[in-house]
Amino acid sequence: MNGRLELLESVEAGIAESEVLRLALLHAVAELGGLGGAVHLRGPMSALRLVASMGLPPSDARSWEIVDQEGVEAPALAVRRGRPAWAPHPQPSDGDTRCARWSGAGLAAVPLLGADRPRGALTVVTQGAQPTAGQWEFMGAVAAWAQERTMAAPPPTGRLREEAGGSISSDLRAVQVGTWDWNMRTGELLWDDAAMIVYGATPDSFVPRVESWMKIVHPDDLPSTLAAVEKAIRDESIFEAEYRVLRPDGHYGWTQTRARVVLDEDGEPYRMIGRAWESNESPAARNTLSRVLRHMRDGFLALDHDWKILFTNLEAERTLGYQDEDLFGQVLWQLPPIQHMRGLEAGCRKAAEEGAPAEFDVEGAAGRSFHLRIVPMPDGITIYSTDVSEQRKEDAARVAAQQATAERAARTAELTAALSKATTSQDVIDAVAQRVLPAVAGDGLLMHIVEDGQLHTIGARGVPRDILGIVDGRALMERDPISEAIVTGNSVFVNTVQEYRMRYPHIADLAEATGMHAAMYLPLTASGHTFGVCVITFERPGITLSSEEGTLLTAISALVAHALERARLYEAEHTRSHELQRSLLPKDLPQLAECTTAARYLPAGQGMEVGGDWYDVIPLSAGRVAFVIGDVMGHGLSEAATMGRLRTAVRTLADLELPPDEIMSHLNDAIGELGEDSYATCLYALYDSTDGRCSIVSAGHPPPAVVRPDGSVHFLDTVSDPPLGAADPPFRTLELTIPAESLLVFYTDGLVESLVRQIDQGQAELARLLSTTSNNDLAWLSDQLVATLLPADQPTADDSALLIARVHALPADRIASWSLPNEPQAAGQARGYVRSQLAEWGLEELTMTTELLASELVGNVVRYAKGPMRLRLLRGKELICEVSDGSLTMPRIRHASETDEGGRGLQLVAALSQRWGTRYTVTGKWIWTVQQLANSNASDAIEFDADSVAPLS
């Protein structure tokens, strides 16, 4: 350790500052056994600039170029606190190559002290452990040595220049004088165009921050340059420096700069304004800078702070009409030519007062225009003037032409935007009528489609109805402007009635009857096929169209043709989609003893594709009914088809008497087979009228509302699983009891959520409407809910479905239930129970059949299943006889041979009952049969026709 310090002390004095820093870093990394290291110096604002590095790959060195002085990295901590700092290297994060490369390392930094504050930091990348006390002491000693040697280091010198002279024209090309403005408080740095050239930047790549300047200064020149900046700020003096900057081609070039510090109202430095120029030119060119300025094409004046002229070039003398000797020492404002330039004095004084460069135009004598650039300097003011008279005239002509072009482009853009939103033929016609007719002063519009040699008018504006009746459906003629436009593919313009009679005598009377004097026939061509004509009519005689208007109409006809073709295809697909969707929804709702229902479906607004909302009511065995509602995510034919598949699957699974959670699991599997992008919400509610129990399973669907008989409204707190296609079975089931005559209100999100209303707001409004209604007519209630929640004047972006059910309970006196022993005698007991109960209900005519059904069902349990066994009779619109047991075995009908003693029981059950089936429970199963009562009408049903719903949009 001491040997290294002695070696550093032996280095001869007078070496460059950059070499001092590199030597200090080399010995610090070697002593600590580090992986690498870096030296940063404090720059303007809160940035530390990398001036030396060791052991760092180029990509990491670039990421260390600028370190935020207010950050938490070790160099920043050492500078900010003025004492050594160590920190473990941050954990790797996305996009941070330093962290990824040096994971597990540590950063040890010591400050490099300056005159009154730390001027930088020396940092070593350690292998993880903190330096020992001796190592910290060594780093501090190295930093002190670097401080002592940098203070004694000689200033950098520019490269040797050849003493070759050059012509004035080459000097003019070589010298670029730019101005810059740095805000010390915000760090904003502004360069004018000339400064961009001097520093090798472009407006697109330049970031207006002082850090951008620090990055391009050569590391060897940065310490002395930053020191000069700090001295100028501290002493409120002039900043002068010469340093190298990085050029776009990767090489460094020399530049010089001179600037002054600007103070705020409190006398504190807050800005620095200066000039910069390339100093790569020869001394001869530098010494002839005044000659270069003299021969500049632009006018140039140098003034002192009293506005007295110190220097003018030849162009300025020509502009002012005086020689150099006559202008020297004159106050600028007292010159007659200057007094005619309005705004010049005010603009110059404002720039001098603010201490910031300014640019503006002034008008001189004889209609001449000048563009001025005022640059406040430490020793006065400089004014650059450019005669822009001819340029302004050219600009005015160009602006007029651009304005005309912009107006045409704006009309075309407006039409294009309107046509892009058009989803129907009427939308296209409205867009043309509103945006094209006014542009060409047209009076009427006709849009024709040609099919099988006949004209079909799909829309018109400003044309009498009786004329439309004559034109629509007429056959095309050989000499016809429409035929000519279609055959040639070119527009046809007829500007007088006489021309009509001469060119198209067969339709001259028809044209005259319309009241038009001229017309433009524009062919509608799309996909290489001309399928129609757009006709613009003019009632004013002798009208002519300019070439620009003709070109505009020709361009517009192509836009209209493609938009019309898209609209017609959309209309056809939209019609087919809605027909498909309506065919997939229930055409009627069943009339059930268990409930009274009503439903409504509202498609999305105009311009939206068909949706995937659906609902269903499914009658089940033993007084039970299933309510289903769902919403396939997305819009289009595929979503409508998916909706149809799900509805069919739900009915099939419900007929199998599966529990609600198993049904939802099967639906999740089914929609998963349709593809990764298929998702749907669904809610399945199973209501039992014998005891009022309701089992609900939800897959991402909004909760239903319940309206109790007392009028109270609440939304069920369903346990909603993710939507179908994204869920992970099993699904959770909500079990609750619903009071008889309550309303169950099922809906999709399109009913309560819109572009102007959140879903919770829509649910609150739905609850308010349900709580204030007293009408028992469910159809009327459905219409009121839809009309209020989805007003006809507000477009809807999603389709909506609504299903309302008033649940009824089966009276207790229509339910009979008995426990039976699991013995052969149970069949006889069952027949006795059936006989007595049917006699009590007055259904003696069904006694023999029901006794036989009960006997067969009980016997089947005794022989093939296990107990406990129970018999139940339900009397509604049908007579239901069912027997339960504790077995999960599925009863199956088999064909018994002539010699078999058994195997005919279920065949007998199927023959004697209207229908029969099995449903499973948690503890076993129920086998049920249904018999039609003599006084019931099985065909009674509430017909529901979606097309008969009152218009809602």
Side-chain angles (χ1 to χ4, degrees):
M1 181 181 300
N2 292 331
R4 292 188 183 277
L5 292 177
E6 292 176 358
L7 184 60
L8 287 175
E9 291 294 342
S10 66
V11 174
E12 65 276 10
I15 64 173
E17 182 176 15
S18 58
E19 187 63 24
V20 170
L21 297 177
R22 276 192 285 269
L23 284 172
L25 179 61
L26 171 65
H27 286 278
V29 172
E31 181 64 32
L32 270 68
L35 303 174
V39 176
H40 290 83
L41 292 184
R42 182 200 296 266
M45 305 297 295
S46 59
L48 298 177
R49 168 72 156 87
L50 179 69
V51 296
S53 64
M54 175 174 296
L56 300 179
S59 59
D60 294 337
R62 283 194 297 272
S63 65
W64 278 65
E65 276 190 347
I66 299 294
V67 173
D68 186 1
Q69 186 176 318
E70 302 300 324
V72 297
E73 297 190 81
L77 294 174
V79 171
R80 195 164 64 248
R81 298 172 180 174
R83 62 177 183 270
W86 183 89
H89 202 283
Q91 292 298 316
S93 60
D94 294 341
D96 191 342
T97 57
R98 288 182 297 161
C99 292
R101 193 183 305 276
W102 302 107
S103 179
L107 299 177
V110 293
L112 299 175
L113 300 178
D116 55 356
R117 61 174 182 172
R119 60 189 295 260
L122 185 149
T123 305
V124 176
V125 181
T126 69
Q127 299 188 27
Q130 292 193 42
T132 63
Q135 290 174 329
W136 279 122
E137 182 181 355
F138 175 78
M139 289 185 68
V142 169
W145 175 85
Q147 174 189 355
E148 177 185 352
R149 290 305 179 94
T150 53
M151 293 179 64
T157 58
R159 66 177 177 84
L160 294 177
R161 300 173 175 84
E162 298 177 358
E163 294 296 330
S167 64
I168 293 179
S169 59
S170 63
D171 291 337
L172 279 168
R173 289 192 299 268
V175 175
Q176 292 284 348
V177 180
T179 60
W180 51 268
D181 184 346
W182 170 41
N183 190 317
M184 302 177 190
R185 294 174 181 170
T186 65
E188 183 182 29
L189 177 64
L190 301 179
W191 288 345
D192 65 2
D193 293 341
M196 291 282 185
I197 297 174
V198 170
Y199 289 115
T202 62
D204 294 336
S205 62
F206 176 61
V207 178
R209 301 288 302 174
V210 72
E211 289 83 357
S212 300
W213 170 77
M214 292 173 60
K215 286 183 178 180
I216 64 174
V217 178
H218 195 288
D220 290 350
D221 302 337
L222 189 63
S224 60
T225 304
L226 294 179
V229 171
E230 290 192 3
K231 183 177 185 302
I233 296 174
R234 183 173 60 252
D235 300 342
E236 300 175 6
S237 59
I238 299 298
F239 163 59
E240 288 185 287
E242 184 176 19
Y243 48 85
R244 288 164 290 179
V245 296
L246 183 64
R247 302 299 185 193
D249 60 2
H251 295 86
Y252 283 91
W254 287 92
T255 62
Q256 283 185 278
T257 188
R258 178 181 171 85
R260 65 184 179 90
V261 176
V262 180
L263 307 181
D264 61 11
E265 297 177 353
D266 299 328
E268 296 294 330
Y270 83 105
R271 291 172 66 189
M272 184 178 285
I273 301 173
R275 290 180 296 184
W277 60 92
E278 295 180 358
S279 56
N280 288 326
E281 75 282 354
S282 65
R286 184 181 298 184
N287 294 335
T288 59
L289 179 58
S290 61
R291 292 192 299 122
V292 172
L293 295 177
R294 286 280 296 169
H295 291 272
M296 283 176 58
R297 184 174 58 182
D298 294 341
F300 177 81
L301 295 91
L303 313 173
D304 63 12
H305 290 294
D306 295 326
W307 304 102
K308 292 181 179 180
I309 299 175
L310 302 177
F311 178 85
T312 60
N313 68 354
L314 295 177
E315 180 62 25
E317 293 169 13
R318 283 193 291 267
T319 300
L320 298 175
Y322 293 93
Q323 296 297 319
D324 182 24
E325 58 272 14
D326 298 326
L327 293 172
F328 185 79
Q330 294 288 332
V331 176
L332 183 63
W333 321 124
Q334 296 177 356
L335 298 176
I338 296 297
Q339 295 174 358
H340 291 88
M341 295 183 181
R342 295 183 179 178
L344 173 60
E345 182 176 358
C348 291
R349 292 188 181 278
K350 181 179 179 182
E353 180 180 351
E354 295 178 352
E359 296 187 33
F360 53 89
D361 288 357
V362 295
E363 298 295 329
R368 298 175 66 187
S369 300
F370 296 91
H371 178 74
L372 302 181
R373 185 158 62 100
I374 315 300
V375 182
M377 301 305 298
D379 50 0
I381 301 290
T382 58
I383 300 178
Y384 300 84
S385 68
T386 305
D387 191 334
V388 293
S389 303
E390 293 301 322
Q391 181 181 346
R392 292 295 180 262
K393 293 178 182 178
E394 295 174 359
D395 290 346
R398 185 172 61 256
V399 168
Q402 290 175 347
Q403 185 175 0
T405 303
E407 290 176 356
R408 292 194 300 271
R411 294 192 189 102
T412 305
E414 290 177 1
L415 178 63
T416 302
L419 292 177
S420 66
K421 300 176 182 178
T423 55
T424 65
S425 300
Q426 192 60 49
D427 291 340
V428 176
I429 295 167
D430 290 341
V432 176
Q434 295 171 8
R435 291 170 176 82
V436 178
L437 289 185
V440 296
D443 300 298
L445 174 68
L446 284 162
M447 201 75 72
H448 297 304
I449 300 298
V450 179
E451 293 179 347
D452 300 328
Q454 288 187 323
L455 287 180
H456 297 281
T457 304
I458 62 173
R461 286 287 189 278
V463 180
R465 288 184 175 274
D466 55 342
I467 299 299
L468 291 179
I470 299 174
V471 174
D472 190 20
R474 78 173 179 86
L476 282 179
M477 300 179 185
E478 184 177 353
R479 298 185 63 185
D480 189 321
I482 295 179
S483 298
E484 182 178 340
I486 292 176
V487 172
T488 64
N490 298 322
S491 59
V492 177
F493 181 55
V494 184
N495 64 350
T496 64
V497 176
Q498 291 75 16
E499 185 178 356
Y500 262 110
R501 292 192 178 279
M502 179 180 65
R503 295 176 60 181
Y504 315 107
H506 298 292
I507 64 169
D509 293 338
L510 177 60
E512 189 173 357
T514 62
M516 68 179 181
H517 286 79
M520 173 69 89
Y521 296 84
L522 301 170
L524 301 176
T525 304
S527 303
H529 169 63
T530 302
F531 60 88
V533 173
C534 174
V535 184
I536 298 176
T537 64
F538 306 88
E539 297 179 359
R540 292 173 290 118
I543 189 171
T544 59
L545 295 177
S546 66
S547 60
E548 293 180 352
E549 290 174 329
T551 302
L552 176 64
L553 288 176
T554 301
I556 285 175
S557 66
L559 297 175
V560 174
H562 285 88
L564 192 58
E565 184 182 47
R566 290 195 306 269
R568 296 178 69 208
L569 291 174
Y570 175 82
E571 288 173 332
E573 181 181 357
H574 200 61
T575 300
R576 290 193 298 269
S577 299
H578 278 288
E579 290 175 353
L580 170 64
Q581 187 179 41
R582 290 194 179 278
S583 68
L584 296 175
L585 289 172
K587 290 184 172 58
D588 53 34
L589 294 177
Q591 181 179 359
L592 304 174
E594 294 82 8
C595 62
T596 305
T597 56
R600 294 291 183 267
Y601 171 77
L602 183 68
Q606 181 178 354
M608 299 300 296
E609 295 188 60
V610 66
D613 291 14
W614 94 95
Y615 56 85
D616 211 346
V617 177
I618 307 173
L620 300 174
S621 64
R624 300 179 310 142
V625 60
F627 306 107
V628 189
I629 192 165
D631 181 3
V632 177
M633 298 182 183
H635 294 84
L637 281 175
S638 61
E639 284 72 16
T642 300
M643 176 266 285
R645 293 174 181 173
L646 288 178
R647 179 170 175 260
T648 302
V650 170
R651 294 193 70 91
T652 302
L653 295 170
D655 287 342
L656 294 176
E657 303 278 2
L658 297 177
D661 59 330
E662 291 189 25
I663 290 177
M664 202 65 75
S665 296
H666 286 297
L667 291 178
N668 187 68
D669 294 338
I671 201 169
E673 295 174 357
L674 299 179
E676 296 181 356
D677 296 332
S678 296
Y679 302 97
T681 65
C682 184
L683 187 142
Y684 186 96
L686 178 63
Y687 172 71
D688 191 338
S689 64
T690 62
D691 55 12
R693 287 185 302 171
C694 188
S695 303
I696 299 177
V697 177
S698 175
H701 202 83
V706 177
V707 185
R708 296 181 179 274
D710 60 4
S712 61
V713 180
H714 72 281
F715 289 93
L716 294 181
D717 188 15
T718 57
V719 182
S720 181
D721 287 292
L724 300 176
D728 186 15
F731 289 85
R732 292 166 291 184
T733 304
L734 173 66
E735 302 280 357
L736 72 160
T737 300
I738 303 294
E741 303 309 312
S742 295
L743 291 182
L744 285 173
V745 182
F746 306 95
Y747 55 91
T748 58
D749 57 355
L751 183 70
V752 294
E753 186 178 26
S754 67
L755 298 175
V756 297
R757 182 179 57 208
Q758 298 294 326
I759 190 170
D760 53 348
Q761 297 173 332
Q763 289 176 324
E765 179 65 11
L766 174 62
R768 186 190 67 79
L769 294 171
L770 291 172
S771 64
T772 56
T773 183
S774 59
N775 195 317
N776 292 326
D777 186 349
L778 297 188
W780 178 89
L781 176 59
S782 300
D783 291 338
Q784 290 298 308
L785 292 178
V786 173
T788 304
L789 293 172
L790 301 174
D793 58 347
Q794 294 183 6
T796 55
D798 195 8
D799 51 345
S800 309
L802 172 66
L803 174 63
I804 304 178
R806 176 174 282 112
V807 295
H808 309 306
L810 187 64
D813 59 357
R814 296 195 174 196
I815 303 173
S817 179
W818 305 272
S819 296
L820 297 174
N822 191 20
E823 299 175 355
Q825 295 84 354
Q829 296 180 22
R831 290 193 294 271
Y833 291 145
V834 168
R835 187 165 46 250
S836 61
Q837 186 62 52
L838 294 185
E840 181 181 340
W841 285 344
L843 300 177
E844 290 85 351
E845 68 276 9
L846 296 179
T847 299
M848 183 178 296
T849 303
T850 308
E851 285 185 8
L852 186 55
L853 289 172
S855 179
E856 289 295 334
L857 294 178
V858 170
N860 194 61
V861 172
V862 172
R863 184 170 183 179
Y864 299 109
K866 63 181 181 180
M869 181 167 44
R870 194 168 188 83
L871 170 67
R872 189 167 74 160
L873 295 178
L874 305 176
R875 179 192 174 187
K877 289 188 176 182
E878 301 167 323
L879 178 63
I880 298 172
C881 175
E882 56 183 9
V883 174
S884 71
D885 60 60
S887 172
L888 297 176
T889 304
M890 167 70 77
R892 291 191 172 95
I893 297 178
R894 66 184 180 89
H895 296 282
S897 64
E898 294 180 355
T899 59
D900 288 343
E901 296 182 1
R904 299 176 179 83
L906 291 181
Q907 293 183 16
L908 184 62
V909 169
L912 294 176
S913 62
Q914 185 179 5
R915 60 184 184 277
W916 73 283
T918 304
R919 72 175 183 276
Y920 291 92
T921 65
V922 177
T923 58
K925 66 177 180 294
W926 286 88
I927 305 176
W928 52 268
T929 64
V930 175
Q931 300 175 76
Q932 192 69 40
L933 298 182
N935 59 351
S936 68
N937 187 356
S939 64
D940 290 343
I942 301 175
E943 184 175 357
F944 177 78
D945 186 357
D947 294 328
S948 67
V949 179
L952 299 174
S953 62

